[in-house]
Amino acid sequence: MPTPLDDALRSKVGSLAEAGDWTALYELLRGEARADLLADRDAAYRFAESLYHTGRMDELASYAAGFEESARGASDPEGVMRALNLAGIAAFELGDTEGARTRFDALMELAEASHDKEMLARASNNLGAIANLKGRRHEALAYYHLAIPLYQRLGQPRGLAQAYHNLGHTYRDMGRPDECIASYTRAIVLAEEIDYKPLIAMSTVGRAEAEVRRGDVALARELAERGLSLARTVRDPISETEALRVRGLVYCAGGDDTTAIEDLEYARSLARETKSTLLEAEIERDIGTLRLGAGRAKEARANFEAALDLFESLGAAAESRAVRLRLESIDE
């Protein structure tokens, strides 16, 4: 039989999670027997969050499978739904978008059957991210517009902030900068209300990318630096990777190709360490764009080919088409 976690340990877990110190939380719980940890649903989920925020996606995928098995064995539908959500997130980050979609579909079905509005909102938000990745922008918007009112009625600013952040991504990809910036700004305000630093960092960086696309390099630089500093403060490698990618774009827009490539190449190394396939694909594409602009077509081709392989493995149809066009332009 599992040994219950003592009250002092559970209290410490809660405090670290509240402070967003995911590295310390990971170190605190990593040595606990998995059976003991999984028997305490709150602590078990917090440990899963620490795996995500410290970039341990392979470990998260394995842990989510154990979480689901334990929850099913205990006839715990809420635990099963949490496990499906974790497994879907891990699969998405590792590039298994079909595996992620299957898990989020199962989560939505179970949430609807259980009348669990929170899990329904999570499933909708995550399915929106997958639809956007596959180039189905309007489908993504429909999912977000289902998730947002659910989070509003539940009074959950964290989920609401995440939905607005994802909405910003989709508006960015649709070429709607005003709505994109408004969505990221709304996400930042909501995340600041609950001091959810990883999302503050990511949405600040998202807005920086939108601003550089609009041509405001000075503001984009300020936002990118702010997001990078915050990501490093909370020791979130995924947020740091995205911040470095965007700061590289800012340097490139400002004419500093040398510093831009340094940021992008370091970001690529972090993306590979955390096995974030989508980020690696975007960085390879961005390096290729920079090198092509500098007249280094042969090197750019290698980057675009690597990006294309990664985007295709993700089923990212729109991004794959765009990269193929870049490769065709080099041939011509």
Side-chain angles (χ1 to χ4, degrees):
M1 293 291 292
T3 302
L5 302 182
D6 64 63
D7 289 343
L9 180 59
R10 296 178 80 251
S11 177
K12 183 67 172 175
V13 168
S15 297
L16 290 173
E18 185 70 22
D21 193 345
W22 300 109
T23 299
L25 198 154
Y26 172 77
E27 293 298 332
L28 178 69
L29 292 178
R30 64 181 297 193
E32 293 294 319
R34 287 297 165 87
D36 297 346
L37 186 56
L38 289 170
D40 188 312
R41 284 288 174 261
D42 286 340
Y45 194 76
R46 293 303 194 185
F47 183 65
E49 288 187 296
S50 78
L51 294 174
Y52 173 79
H53 285 298
T54 57
R56 294 174 166 87
M57 297 306 161
D58 280 331
E59 193 173 348
L60 177 59
S62 174
Y63 181 75
F67 198 136
E68 182 178 355
E69 182 181 358
S70 174
R72 290 189 184 279
S75 300
D76 175 9
E78 183 181 349
V80 172
M81 287 188 283
R82 286 187 170 197
L84 287 169
N85 189 53
L86 293 169
I89 290 168
F92 183 85
E93 292 293 339
L94 291 168
D96 180 9
T97 51
E98 280 307 300
R101 185 191 58 77
T102 298
R103 289 169 174 85
F104 292 137
D105 279 339
L107 173 59
M108 178 168 276
E109 183 178 340
L110 187 53
E112 288 176 332
S114 303
H115 305 289
D116 190 318
K117 291 183 173 59
E118 179 185 354
M119 287 300 174
L120 182 59
R122 291 190 187 194
S124 299
N125 191 25
N126 290 324
L127 285 167
I130 292 173
N132 187 66
L133 178 63
K134 292 183 176 296
R136 301 196 295 266
R137 314 297 186 203
H138 292 286
E139 182 183 333
L141 292 180
Y143 277 123
Y144 299 142
H145 290 148
L146 172 60
I148 285 171
L150 286 171
Y151 280 129
Q152 287 172 329
R153 286 197 291 271
L154 290 165
Q156 293 193 354
R158 175 168 167 171
L160 190 58
Q162 290 169 332
Y164 273 111
H165 175 79
N166 287 347
L167 190 60
H169 280 352
T170 299
Y171 283 137
R172 174 199 67 187
D173 295 338
M174 295 176 80
R176 294 162 63 173
D178 292 342
E179 290 156 298
C180 168
I181 289 170
S183 297
Y184 283 134
T185 301
R186 180 65 174 145
I188 293 166
V189 169
L190 288 163
E192 286 177 338
E193 287 176 359
I194 56 172
D195 199 30
Y196 185 30
K197 292 182 177 65
L199 190 60
I200 298 170
M202 288 290 279
S203 293
T204 300
V205 169
R207 186 180 167 197
E209 183 171 12
E211 295 292 356
V212 79
R213 290 186 182 199
R214 285 212 303 191
D216 193 336
V217 177
L219 178 56
R221 171 72 179 273
E222 178 186 337
L223 291 167
E225 293 286 4
R226 188 185 306 166
L228 178 59
S229 175
L230 186 54
R232 285 174 168 167
T233 297
V234 297
R235 294 182 286 183
D236 184 334
I238 294 175
S239 297
E240 181 180 359
T241 303
E242 177 69 354
L244 284 165
R245 181 186 77 81
V246 172
R247 193 175 72 170
L249 299 180
V250 174
Y251 278 125
C252 182
D256 187 350
D257 287 0
T258 301
T259 308
I261 202 70
E262 289 174 359
D263 269 0
L264 289 167
E265 289 182 340
Y266 183 40
R268 181 175 58 186
S269 70
L270 289 178
R272 288 171 176 170
E273 283 178 21
T274 58
K275 300 190 177 179
S276 182
T277 308
L278 177 57
L279 269 173
E280 185 181 351
E282 291 174 333
I283 294 162
E284 288 284 9
R285 175 203 61 201
D286 294 341
I287 293 174
T289 301
L290 188 156
R291 285 177 168 160
L292 186 61
R296 297 159 64 182
K298 183 176 180 180
E299 293 168 275
R301 165 176 283 284
N303 292 120
F304 286 136
E305 287 174 346
L308 181 59
D309 287 344
L310 291 166
F311 280 130
E312 287 183 335
S313 75
L314 291 165
E319 296 296 344
S320 296
R321 284 194 299 272
V323 172
R324 282 195 203 94
L325 288 173
R326 305 305 295 274
L327 285 167
E328 290 170 7
S329 73
I330 293 175
D331 291 338
E332 291 169 1

